[in-house]
Amino acid sequence: MKKLFIITLFTFLIQCSLAQKYSIVGAWYWSDSTQAKSLFFDQDGGVSMHTGLNNNIIFEKQLRKGKWVFKNNTLLITWEQNNIERNIVKFIDRNILQLSLVVDKQNHKLKSSFIFKRIMDEEVIQDKIQ
């Protein structure tokens, strides 16, 4: 009985250590001096992305939509046009992540990296109040 308990505990600890620590679900924002990107990951696997000039309003007609799958720090996004985008995700902490687009799947060559910050609910709600 003691051996079974130790094996179960050991298995549980291994699974917990390999599990993803933070959730990608939610709203994320990146910007530089001229450009901005907003990503919205739904719980059900939907994703929306807006790319435009910094400090512009996000319009529905400018949203790019698709489906996402996140596993082992790899984010696969299938956009509505059926093109698939592969990204490597590295969480800096629970509210900051680095998203790197992979262009060469065999050599894991990265095209570009962006540091996104999580948009907190209070900020989103506050922006909607007039």
Side-chain angles (χ1 to χ4, degrees):
M1 188 68 175
K2 189 175 181 181
K3 285 183 181 182
L4 179 64
F5 175 74
I6 291 172
I7 291 171
T8 305
L9 180 64
F10 182 72
T11 304
F12 176 75
L13 290 174
I14 288 175
Q15 287 180 344
C16 287
S17 66
L18 296 176
Q20 293 174 1
K21 202 172 182 181
Y22 302 116
S23 175
I24 199 164
V25 174
W28 299 87
Y29 182 77
W30 167 87
S31 70
D32 65 10
S33 60
T34 59
Q35 296 291 312
K37 288 182 188 265
S38 298
L39 287 167
F40 304 94
F41 294 100
D42 295 335
Q43 188 78 29
D44 65 354
V47 61
S48 299
M49 180 177 75
H50 174 265
T51 304
L53 295 176
N54 197 356
N55 296 324
N56 262 3
I57 298 172
I58 297 173
F59 295 105
E60 285 291 321
K61 64 182 178 180
Q62 294 175 320
L63 288 178
R64 187 175 180 199
K65 295 184 181 278
K67 293 286 183 184
W68 65 273
V69 176
F70 182 48
K71 189 174 182 180
N72 297 327
N73 295 328
T74 301
L75 174 66
L76 292 175
I77 300 175
T78 305
W79 296 109
E80 285 181 335
Q81 301 79 13
N82 287 329
N83 56 330
I84 298 174
E85 185 177 289
R86 185 170 183 236
N87 298 277
I88 302 299
V89 175
K90 179 182 176 187
F91 282 95
I92 310 301
D93 64 31
R94 70 176 276 206
N95 294 319
I96 300 173
L97 66 83
Q98 179 180 1
L99 192 66
S100 303
L101 179 63
V102 177
V103 291
D104 183 356
K105 293 178 187 175
Q106 292 178 346
N107 298 322
H108 297 284
K109 197 170 188 176
L110 304 177
K111 179 180 178 184
S112 56
S113 291
F114 299 96
I115 302 292
F116 283 84
K117 294 182 181 179
R118 186 183 299 273
I119 299 172
M120 304 306 275
D121 289 337
E122 294 82 18
E123 293 174 354
V124 173
I125 293 169
Q126 191 174 30
D127 287 343
K128 291 182 180 180
I129 297 173
Q130 304 245 347

